[in-house]
Amino acid sequence: MYLVAHIDQAICSETACRLCTQYCPEANTILYDNAAKTAFVAVDRCKGCEICVGICDDLAKHHAIKMIMITDLESPFELSKEGFRPEKWDGNHP
Amino acid sequence: MSVKNISITPGWEKYMTKEYLDLVERGPYGKQKKVSEMGSFKEVLEEHPMCAGCAMTLFIRLTMVGLPNPEHTILIGTAGCGRLALTQTSIPFIYGNYGDTNAVASGLKRGLEVRFKDQAKDVVVMAGDGGLADIGFSAVMHSWFRKERFTTIMLDNEVYGNTGGQESGMTERGALLKMAPKGKMFEKMDMIGLAQTAGVAYIARLTPTNPTRVASVVRKAVLIAREVGPTFIQAYTSCNIEYAIPTPKVLDDARDIEAKRYGFMEIISDEAKAYLDSIDTAKKAKK
Ligand SMILES: Cc1ncc(C[n+]2csc(CCOP(=O)(O)OP(=O)(O)O)c2C)c(N)n1
Ligand code: SF4
Ligand code: SF4
Ligand code: SF4
């Protein structure tokens, strides 16, 4: 098993600075939920590099991202299954 | 400008992949997207097999956001790591033989100008430091001297990443690599100086530490190449594998190298500057 990035929505939505998604090397991996004003991770695309953790901790100074075991996610969001459909995003991310 | 090039023939939607449908409906076509909008639109770059945390991957991703007209762009690449991602975009990609990129791009751009008189087509070469400064060196220099109107982007990881760590002309003197065990014995090549000598209209050197800047530099380079002359971007895009950089530290490394020897630099000709200003003036007048 492996680690993926996980965003704490409560912390992120306080500012939703959108910095992490600009620095993630992978395309459409940290997505942005306009309704809930939070970033969230498409775990099927996350390669576990931890760059976003450093961005949120050191640049944004928000500490909203942690690396967690993929098996510990209850209902992981997978872009390949859901498609890129922002109109359906409603804050219900794992 | 239109999305006609990528739109789906009516009735065929059900045969297209989700990714493609999303791209047509929620992609970056028709209006230049901003870096601050990333995460809210479908990017032209898909999944690809480049290494986790690779700075080159990040740079390519940001480049795609900076392209002024992705629907009228053709990418040229070659052997090396970058093409692993460049081939996974919804932008036509031509695989030049290692060393041939700028010769292929020259012919292609000239052909496109003849074929599409009313529609500007942007040609962008993206290849490694080995591909452009070593084996492709002659074709790169000649395309510049001939003032060919396309953009050359060097993904400078200062090593042959794809083949396991040989030194390139762009490697720093003294760098120890798997296949340069005694350390490189010669200086890093001054491609910026050579581009100036060859009269390149717009030259930029940067790292991926500032995403907005990457997109803006790419946009300028592509626009200037369209109307004025050759443009060159040299980007530090570390290879975390060959330089043993732990992935969480990849951006720290980029900031460090940027501060020490790879600071942001832009050299623009008077003609290119006047052209950019005219675009800005036209944009403001429209508002
Ligand atoms: C004519 C030719 N010679 C050698 C090779 C083998 N080759 C493939 S990739 C590569 C090195 C790539 O290095 P660089 O251009 O710096 O790109 P990077 O992989 O570092 O991004 C080489 C030598 C080749 N494909 N074609
Ligand atoms: S950097 Fe942190 S606070 Fe900012 S959008 Fe990302 S997760 Fe949220
Ligand atoms: S760990 Fe790496 S790949 Fe995963 S979301 Fe963070 S920056 Fe992107
Ligand atoms: S080998 Fe180096 S340059 Fe190539 S994808 Fe991996 S980290 Fe990036």
Side-chain angles (χ1 to χ4, degrees), chain A residues 5 24-26 29-30 41 45-52 67:
Chain A
C24 169
E26 301 301 318
T29 299
I30 302 184
V41 177
R45 292 191 163 218
C46 173
K47 289 183 181 170
C49 69
E50 274 185 63
I51 285 178
C52 55
M67 301 306 291

Side-chain angles (χ1 to χ4, degrees), chain B residues 1-48:
Chain B
M1 180 157 87
S2 76
V3 280
K4 237 168 66 193
N5 298 11
I6 59 142
S7 57
I8 301 163
T9 310
W12 288 78
E13 292 83 355
K14 59 178 182 286
Y15 301 110
M16 301 304 289
T17 60
K18 238 197 258 78
E19 286 76 10
Y20 198 89
L21 290 168
D22 289 346
L23 194 62
V24 175
E25 283 165 31
R26 302 166 186 91
Y29 300 105
K31 183 172 183 289
Q32 177 118 35
K33 293 287 183 197
K34 296 197 198 80
V35 165
S36 58
E37 294 174 276
M38 288 167 84
S40 295
F41 65 91
K42 174 75 181 166
E43 294 171 46
V44 298
L45 180 60
E46 264 301 324
E47 289 180 284
H48 57 73

Side-chain angles (χ1 to χ4, degrees), chain B residues 159-174:
Chain B
V159 65
Y160 286 23
N162 207 207
T163 42
Q166 297 81 6
E167 69 180 40
S168 85
M170 298 300 283
T171 303
E172 281 272 294
R173 184 188 185 119

Side-chain angles (χ1 to χ4, degrees), chain B residues 97-106 125 131-148 150 152 191:
Chain B
N97 278 326
Y98 199 56
D100 283 357
T101 50
N102 283 46
V104 172
S106 301
V125 170
L132 296 175
D134 293 348
I135 187 165
F137 182 66
S138 153
V140 168
M141 289 307 298
H142 278 279
S143 70
W144 289 347
F145 278 116
R146 288 195 310 267
K147 307 282 181 282
E148 304 285 352
F150 62 85
T152 304
M191 286 300 285

